[in-house]
Amino acid sequence: MFSRILIANRGEIACRVIRTAQKMGVGTVAVYSDADANALHVAMADEAVHIGGSSVSESYLRADRIIQAAIDTGAEAIHPGYGFLSENPGFVDAVVKAGLVFIGPSADSIRAMGLKDAAKRLMEKAGVPVVPGYHGEAQELVVLASKAREIGYPVLIKARAGGGGKGMRKVDNPEDFAEALGSARREAKSAFGDDRVLVEKYVSKPRHIEVQVFGDNHGNAVHLYERDCSLQRRHQKVIEEAPAPDITVEMRAAMTAAAVKAAKAINYSGAGTIEFIVDASQGLRADGFWFMEMNTRLQVEHPVTEMITGLDLVEWQLRVAAGEPLPLTQKQIPLNGHAVEARLYAEDPAKGFLPAIGTLHHLTFPATVAEGIVRIETGVRPDDTISPYYDPMIAKIVVHAKDRPAALRAMEDALLQTEIAGTVTNAAFLAALVRHEGFAAGDVDTGLIDRDLHSLVVPVAMPAGAKELAVLHASGLLTKIASDDPWTALRGYSHHARSHYPVTLGEPGTSDAPGQTTRYGVAVLSDDRFEVATPDTAVELRVRRSGESWHITGKGINLTAKTAAIPQGVAVIARGVVATFALIDPLQRADEAGGAGDRLIAPMPGLVKSVRAAAGDLVKKGQILLVLEAMKMEHTITAPHDGKIAEIVKEGAQVKEKTALVRFEELETAELTNK
């Protein structure tokens, strides 16, 4: 076995590999970019090497620097994780040339499966079923259009290189073929540098079912059953599960046999996935699946396979790469229960799933669920920042239970227990998917999300009592209940008139209406009773401690929730709902909020929603310069003093906390006076 390996990746997969290596007593080396200097995978590894700037082209795609880091630290092998260089045969060649071991398949195996058309011709030759279509070399319009007519419409045009839905177009009618072909070619050229395509029969109700395979360098190959990855958005997987719902014994036998046959056809070594497209229009049938492509690496969704088999696939990868035979034979590989994985992202479903950068001021994952076990795969910690440079995944939430209904209930429970404040996430969208009637019944295909998107992306209403609880948190009076200190317990006591604690709260807005700012006054009525008042209304509340949460009751209010302090605000977290509020100091000046002197800095990560000034403008103190959107709230940034703008951030920019938004020039007093 290796004594030390280098992980050529970042985030949750780097952390995942490090955990198994540590369990096996194998030393680890992490690599990191400028943006990842304080990342979790860097902290977990035995040693870490800086390899370049924040962009992937300056760091995680720099094969030369990664290999040199392995040599310099005494690593014997490189684990590529997934993405980045994991399926780059040139990188594999360079690793081997440097005298190191690549923890994965050979460069020849990767090349054999790297182009869809060549891979499908190879699979046809090996006796693996492939989708009816044209996978030849001729690329002229007349040839491809003729083949499309032979196949029969609708057809699917697909880029021969790459994946992720890029360079893919469905064509329903012959007259639309030429335009669709041109569009697919342009996108494929831009994404992969290769505009060649193949044409296939379009499957009307497709399911995406894949088989985990494993081979070694001794001629052995096995499967570890199937995964269903049909819940997709724009050809990107959202929720995966194992085993596939409603699969028959006959279909599993045929599909897994075909997958092993495919692996053996290229002498495959290591972890790989054979992906099949399945026609579910008439149920799952042993003759209704076709080879789509092979991923020659560990998959993002591999934990669901580990949960139903009880095996560690990363451990298998290390053992196979070190020259050992497969740890188990096919008959020894178990299949127990049902597992589901959900990909939790920092993204805003209500805004077309746009990535949402931000700092994870509050981050808590569930340790247990009611009907099974939960496993969290993450590469972030509380107070880490979701960077604009990389995939905005926060975590993979994985559950395992005795059967599929129990696993879905466990997943919903896990999602509702996940608490994140500081950025927008897709947690509510994932919970809605898990509850979806068709998905729960196993009636799923790759088009489900797009068809039902309107019902899945529904704004979650702020629970009654959330803003009152936020006001109480901001007032500091909740410590009166939580503390055993008798002096703290006297807080708010007045021998004569009630003491009122002022709180100004900014409520989150929506796409239809901006948030409101309200001034409140809080009075103590008794040990656990308070009055929260505005100039127009007042409500009496009773607050009690309930574990780590607060239970607040009053007229129309019965809420159990947590509170968490965040910069310039407070978050109220109630099972599946996170409401964030801005705390506004009415005496605070603009220069205290955003910086002073010659610069204005971002008080928090966010999106520059609008810019109201330009370089060269003379501005007056208090003049609105821009609007920053963060945590679903709009924050107005004003000039802290009179001045002339030298530089100002662009509208639409995603900015980090403390990013310079505006820089001022030094001006003579007379210039400002003459404005």
Side-chain angles (χ1 to χ4, degrees):
M1 181 48 62
F2 309 112
S3 59
R4 174 172 285 205
I5 65 171
L6 179 143
I7 298 97
N9 218 296
R10 63 174 302 281
E12 57 88 15
I13 185 58
C15 297
R16 163 75 188 88
V17 175
I18 290 170
R19 283 195 298 272
T20 288
Q22 290 173 338
K23 180 185 70 175
M24 297 174 67
V26 176
T28 56
V29 179
V31 292
Y32 64 93
S33 66
D34 288 347
D36 279 340
N38 298 310
L40 179 58
H41 76 281
V42 174
M44 288 179 63
D46 298 312
E47 190 172 352
V49 179
H50 176 252
I51 55 170
S54 297
S55 71
V56 295
S57 62
E58 297 174 309
S59 52
Y60 297 107
L61 293 180
R62 287 297 302 267
D64 55 340
R65 293 180 183 175
I66 291 170
I67 292 171
Q68 191 60 50
I71 294 170
D72 292 345
T73 56
E76 301 154 272
I78 294 179
H79 194 300
Y82 48 70
F84 297 143
L85 296 169
S86 62
E87 293 183 283
N88 186 320
F91 178 59
V92 179
D93 286 335
V95 169
V96 174
K97 185 177 180 181
L100 304 170
V101 175
F102 180 77
I103 302 174
S106 68
D108 288 343
S109 292
I110 295 175
R111 287 190 178 97
M113 291 297 186
L115 297 176
K116 291 184 175 68
D117 54 352
K120 288 182 178 180
R121 290 196 297 270
L122 179 62
M123 291 299 99
E124 280 183 304
K125 187 176 180 180
V128 177
V130 300
V131 179
Y134 174 71
H135 310 129
E137 291 293 335
Q139 292 291 299
E140 295 83 2
L141 170 60
V142 63
V143 174
L144 296 175
S146 174
K147 294 297 181 181
R149 284 193 297 271
E150 291 178 15
I151 296 165
Y153 285 89
V155 298
L156 197 63
I157 300 171
K158 298 171 68 174
R160 73 194 294 263
K166 297 188 187 308
M168 184 182 296
R169 298 290 186 276
K170 178 192 174 189
V171 189
D172 293 304
N173 303 296
E175 54 268 27
D176 299 327
F177 187 84
E179 183 179 349
L181 176 63
S183 176
R185 279 178 166 164
R186 288 190 296 272
E187 189 171 83
K189 182 69 173 179
S190 175
F192 315 120
D194 185 343
D195 67 354
R196 288 172 290 181
V197 300
L198 49 87
V199 183
E200 293 181 344
K201 178 67 179 175
Y202 179 77
V203 179
S204 60
K205 190 175 181 181
R207 275 176 64 174
H208 181 141
I209 301 179
E210 60 190 31
V211 176
Q212 177 72 60
V213 293
F214 234 104
D216 63 19
N217 296 309
H218 303 274
N220 302 308
V222 298
H223 69 80
L224 289 84
Y225 307 104
E226 79 284 346
R227 299 183 288 255
D228 194 308
C229 308
S230 299
L231 275 188
Q232 300 180 11
R233 184 186 62 81
R234 297 174 187 167
H235 305 288
Q236 298 294 328
K237 299 167 186 174
V238 177
I239 290 180
E240 303 98 350
E241 58 183 315
D246 298 329
I247 191 169
T248 64
V249 173
E250 294 77 16
M251 183 175 181
R252 174 177 291 142
M255 183 176 282
T256 54
V260 172
K261 189 183 294 184
K264 288 185 175 181
I266 57 171
N267 299 313
Y268 195 78
S269 176
T273 299
I274 309 296
E275 300 195 353
F276 294 101
I277 191 76
V278 177
D279 182 0
S281 60
Q282 299 178 34
L284 300 186
R285 311 182 317 277
D287 61 350
F289 69 90
W290 303 278
F291 172 85
M292 185 165 56
E293 63 184 357
M294 181 178 190
N295 286 305
T296 52
R297 54 168 168 79
L298 198 66
Q299 291 282 86
V300 177
E301 58 272 19
H302 78 273
V304 293
T305 295
E306 293 184 323
M307 298 293 258
I308 63 168
T309 60
L311 304 174
D312 184 332
L313 299 194
V314 175
E315 179 180 345
W316 276 39
Q317 283 187 298
L318 297 184
R319 294 194 180 283
V320 166
E324 297 181 21
L326 293 176
L328 298 176
T329 65
Q330 187 65 70
K331 291 183 179 181
Q332 293 174 313
I333 299 172
L335 171 59
N336 297 310
H338 200 92
V340 180
E341 174 182 293
R343 302 188 187 190
L344 182 66
Y345 280 97
E347 62 183 14
D348 192 345
K351 295 185 177 179
F353 296 88
L354 283 175
I357 64 171
T359 301
L360 303 170
H361 299 300
H362 178 84
L363 177 67
T364 302
F365 296 112
T368 60
V369 287
E371 294 192 63
I373 60 174
V374 63
R375 165 178 164 181
I376 305 298
E377 296 285 342
T378 187
V380 295
R381 299 158 293 186
D383 294 322
D384 280 355
T385 296
I386 301 299
S387 165
Y389 297 106
Y390 314 116
D391 182 89
M393 180 184 284
I394 297 173
K396 298 182 307 194
I397 300 176
V398 191
V399 297
H400 182 255
K402 62 180 181 179
D403 54 31
R404 188 171 188 266
L408 293 181
R409 290 191 295 269
M411 176 57 76
E412 183 178 10
D413 188 19
L415 289 167
L416 294 177
Q417 288 189 62
T418 297
E419 303 171 2
I420 299 174
T423 186
V424 184
T425 77
N426 66 338
F429 168 72
L430 293 172
L433 265 178
V434 171
R435 291 190 297 266
H436 186 278
E437 185 177 351
F439 177 61
D443 183 16
V444 61
D445 61 81
T446 57
L448 184 148
I449 290 177
D450 288 339
R451 286 196 305 272
D452 294 349
L453 192 61
H454 66 285
S455 64
L456 295 169
V457 182
V458 177
V460 180
M462 185 191 309
K467 61 184 176 182
E468 287 81 4
L469 185 56
V471 170
L472 288 170
H473 174 101
S475 72
L477 291 172
L478 291 180
T479 57
K480 174 181 173 62
I481 301 172
S483 178
D484 294 327
D485 181 358
W487 296 107
T488 302
L490 288 172
R491 180 167 184 167
Y493 171 78
S494 174
H495 187 66
H496 300 290
R498 294 177 185 171
S499 296
H500 282 264
Y501 292 77
V503 174
T504 302
L505 203 68
E507 298 180 25
T510 67
S511 56
D512 299 321
Q516 297 181 340
T517 298
T518 307
R519 184 172 174 80
Y520 296 88
V522 184
V524 178
L525 304 180
S526 65
D527 286 347
D528 61 356
R529 293 175 58 247
F530 304 88
E531 180 186 78
V532 175
T534 70
D536 302 319
T537 62
V539 59
E540 289 190 11
L541 302 166
R542 186 175 187 182
V543 184
R544 293 181 176 179
R545 194 70 172 164
S546 177
E548 296 181 356
S549 301
W550 300 102
H551 185 209
I552 176 172
T553 56
K555 186 176 181 180
I557 295 173
N558 187 359
L559 174 68
T560 299
K562 294 182 182 179
T563 60
I566 60 177
Q568 293 91 39
V570 58
V572 175
I573 304 157
R575 194 167 170 82
V577 180
V578 178
T580 55
F581 302 88
L583 299 182
I584 301 168
D585 183 346
L587 301 178
Q588 186 180 47
R589 296 182 178 272
D591 58 352
E592 294 172 334
D598 68 340
R599 291 192 311 156
L600 271 173
I601 60 173
M604 62 191 73
L607 170 71
V608 179
K609 194 71 178 291
S610 67
V611 175
R612 309 282 181 85
D617 285 358
L618 293 171
V619 297
K620 289 290 188 180
K621 180 179 179 180
Q623 181 177 334
I624 296 175
L625 302 182
L626 57 93
V627 176
L628 183 69
E629 183 185 79
M631 293 180 282
K632 290 192 173 182
M633 291 182 283
E634 291 188 352
H635 305 265
T636 301
I637 306 296
T638 60
H641 49 69
D642 295 354
K644 182 177 182 180
I645 295 177
E647 295 177 280
I648 190 165
V649 69
K650 292 182 179 179
E651 191 169 297
Q654 291 272 8
V655 297
K656 298 180 180 179
E657 186 175 359
K658 298 184 180 178
T659 297
L661 300 174
V662 182
R663 185 172 66 81
F664 296 95
E665 292 183 13
E666 291 187 10
L667 293 176
E668 298 295 333
T669 303
E671 186 175 357
L672 290 170
T673 304
N674 294 331
K675 180 186 173 187

